[in-house]
Amino acid sequence: MEIVKIAFVAILTVLFYTLLRNIKPEIAPLIIIGGAAVIIVMLAESLIGITGEVDEMMSLAGIEKENVSVLLRALGICVVTQFAANICYDNSCSVIAAAVELAGRVGAISIAVPMIKTVAEIAIGLINS
């Protein structure tokens, strides 16, 4: 199972981090970032499969593919933002973490603007009818 491998990588990463934190504190955060990167690469195949399944379900439901794409990209921005912000918080860089969170919010909103515009046009059309 993939989760067992991921848990093993996570535990090894934390163990290496704990050992290096006392010996070489300047390198220890790199261990965490590297371990997280390995876990993300391990998840890449599963994420691709999930997006394919979501696309198939949405086409069966008659929902436009563009709307699903916008939602998945916004979700991706949220996940990456949270991940980066957590790394910043863990390394006592709360100002950078807050900036990353703000950038993620702006990015998600900017991706959703075309969808929001479409919804507003539909609502205006219904009101004027």
Side-chain angles (χ1 to χ4, degrees):
M1 286 199 296
E2 195 72 22
I3 191 65
V4 174
K5 294 176 188 175
I6 290 171
F8 184 72
V9 168
I11 291 168
L12 282 178
T13 300
V14 171
L15 287 174
F16 285 135
Y17 172 77
T18 304
L19 291 173
L20 280 177
R21 179 176 53 192
N22 297 324
I23 300 168
K24 288 272 195 185
E26 64 276 2
I27 296 176
L30 297 176
I31 298 296
I32 296 293
I33 293 169
V38 169
I39 291 171
I40 289 172
V41 168
M42 293 171 72
L43 288 173
E45 187 176 321
S46 297
L47 290 174
I48 291 169
I50 290 170
T51 57
E53 291 293 322
V54 169
D55 281 344
E56 185 178 321
M57 287 188 295
M58 294 303 132
S59 65
L60 289 173
I63 299 173
E64 293 183 32
K65 200 170 195 171
E66 294 83 25
N67 294 336
V68 175
S69 174
V70 167
L71 292 174
L72 289 176
R73 286 187 291 161
L75 179 62
I77 287 174
C78 292
V79 169
V80 169
T81 299
Q82 188 64 50
F83 176 73
N86 285 343
I87 288 176
C88 294
Y89 281 127
D90 287 346
N91 289 290
S92 301
C93 296
S94 59
V95 172
I96 299 297
V100 168
E101 289 175 340
L102 178 61
R105 289 181 188 114
V106 170
I109 290 170
S110 67
I111 283 179
V113 166
M115 185 186 295
I116 295 168
K117 181 181 177 186
T118 302
V119 169
E121 289 171 353
I122 291 170
I124 291 170
L126 291 172
I127 291 170
N128 291 334
S129 299

